[in-house]
Amino acid sequence: MLAKFYMMADKKDGDDNDVGVVLQTKPKTKRPPMYKVLILNDDFTPMEFVVHVLERFFGLSHAQAFELMLTVHKKGVAVVGVFSHEIAETKVAQVMDFAQRHQHPLQCTMEKE
């Protein structure tokens, strides 16, 4: 959105010269919506596999991954990261593909923050 303002100088003795000042404002850009990536608990995926997934795809240390895995185990779900739509979608796809290739039913989803 551009805002333009013009000022007319006082006219003296029939002088028709205009003096103008142009002010421009930059448009305000909205931040893109962010998405939470969630890992869901199940009764079959080994805890060690979940820890490995958290380390590999979310860059967590072993201690952080272990704590988050325990949260998933106890509460049934945990947020493992917040990302832009494209990155969240990619992380979910990577985790789901990795789990399927290793024959684990681990579920990973995303939802708008």
Side-chain angles (χ1 to χ4, degrees), residues 1 4 8 14 18 22 25 28 33-34 41 46 55-56 58 63 67 71 73 75 81 86-87 94 96-97 100 104-105:
M1 166 184 351
K4 294 184 180 181
M8 300 274 301
D18 291 341
V22 177
T25 58
K28 290 189 178 184
M34 300 299 279
N41 188 45
E55 291 171 343
R56 179 172 178 162
F58 298 95
E67 284 298 314
T71 301
H73 182 68
K75 295 188 176 183
E86 292 78 14
I87 294 173
Q94 289 173 329
M96 294 298 291
D97 181 58
Q100 288 173 352
H104 294 298

Side-chain angles (χ1 to χ4, degrees), residues 2 6 12 22-23 26 28 36 39-40 44 52-53 65-66 73 75 84 86 90 92 96 103 106-107 109:
L2 295 178
Y6 293 97
K12 296 180 184 171
V22 177
L23 302 175
K26 291 187 178 184
K28 290 189 178 184
K36 298 184 285 189
I39 295 280
L40 307 174
F44 304 102
H52 179 68
V53 164
F66 189 81
H73 182 68
K75 295 188 176 183
S84 68
E86 292 78 14
T90 300
V92 168
M96 294 298 291
Q103 299 178 341
L106 181 66
Q107 293 295 302
T109 62

Side-chain angles (χ1 to χ4, degrees), residues 43-90:
D43 294 332
F44 304 102
T45 304
M47 292 178 176
E48 297 81 21
F49 184 79
V50 176
V51 170
H52 179 68
V53 164
L54 295 171
E55 291 171 343
R56 179 172 178 162
F57 297 106
F58 298 95
L60 301 179
S61 70
H62 185 75
Q64 291 170 321
F66 189 81
E67 284 298 314
L68 203 50
M69 176 276 299
L70 286 179
T71 301
V72 172
H73 182 68
K74 291 175 185 174
K75 295 188 176 183
V77 65
V79 175
V80 295
V82 179
F83 308 96
S84 68
H85 185 268
E86 292 78 14
I87 294 173
E89 201 171 49
T90 300

